[in-house]
Amino acid sequence: DLIVVDSTDPVGEAAKLFTSAFYEKVRAGLRPGGCAVFQTESPFYSTDVLAEVQEELRALFQHVAPYTAHIPTYPSGLWSFTFASDAIDPRAAPVQRQPAFLHELRYLTPELLRAAFVLPAYVRRRIGG
């Protein structure tokens, strides 16, 4: 149903985790209606990596949605991730329910989740969004 790839940076052997061949294997591992999420580097320092991943995933999935999160310990403090699915577009999906533990979270809110998919202009220009 869900595959989360929180890989290391695309350096050395880990560069294989940022290729079409790897993304095809992830897609093959999903059930119908499933989705995958990939870490896609700093949108400030590694915009090329983010753009290349978008291109690769758009060739495989119907819905590809990059998003960002504030992670103070990572370079630039802003990090990107990319959601991919043939069935779900998180930018258009209605919030159907809110789990009981939502009020206990320190960072995530329903509003912040929606806003995470609103990208800075320099990122949108680079990835063609």
Side-chain angles (χ1 to χ4, degrees), residues 40-117:
T40 47
E41 296 291 303
S42 164
F44 185 77
Y45 292 117
S46 300
T47 310
D48 288 345
V49 171
L50 177 57
E52 290 166 12
V53 171
Q54 303 312 297
E55 184 177 330
E56 299 286 346
L57 292 176
R58 286 177 183 151
L60 296 171
F61 292 93
Q62 185 175 349
H63 304 287
V64 176
Y67 64 97
T68 59
H70 175 72
I71 303 178
T73 58
Y74 283 23
S76 81
L78 185 66
W79 210 253
S80 73
F81 306 88
T82 301
F83 178 98
S85 175
D86 286 330
I88 301 167
D89 183 348
R91 298 162 296 193
V95 177
Q96 297 176 343
R97 63 184 176 101
Q98 294 184 6
F101 64 83
L102 189 66
H103 71 280
E104 297 175 25
L105 300 179
R106 294 179 62 197
Y107 180 78
L108 189 64
T109 65
E111 299 82 9
L112 186 59
L113 179 60
R114 288 255 184 248
F117 291 95

Side-chain angles (χ1 to χ4, degrees), residues 16 18-26 55-57 59-60:
K16 294 176 185 176
F18 289 79
T19 64
S20 292
F22 177 73
Y23 300 137
E24 288 171 4
K25 289 178 183 179
V26 169
E55 184 177 330
E56 299 286 346
L57 292 176
L60 296 171

Side-chain angles (χ1 to χ4, degrees), residues 7-35:
S7 61
T8 63
D9 296 337
V11 177
E13 285 296 308
K16 294 176 185 176
L17 302 176
F18 289 79
T19 64
S20 292
F22 177 73
Y23 300 137
E24 288 171 4
K25 289 178 183 179
V26 169
R27 187 176 191 281
L30 289 171
R31 292 182 183 175
C35 55

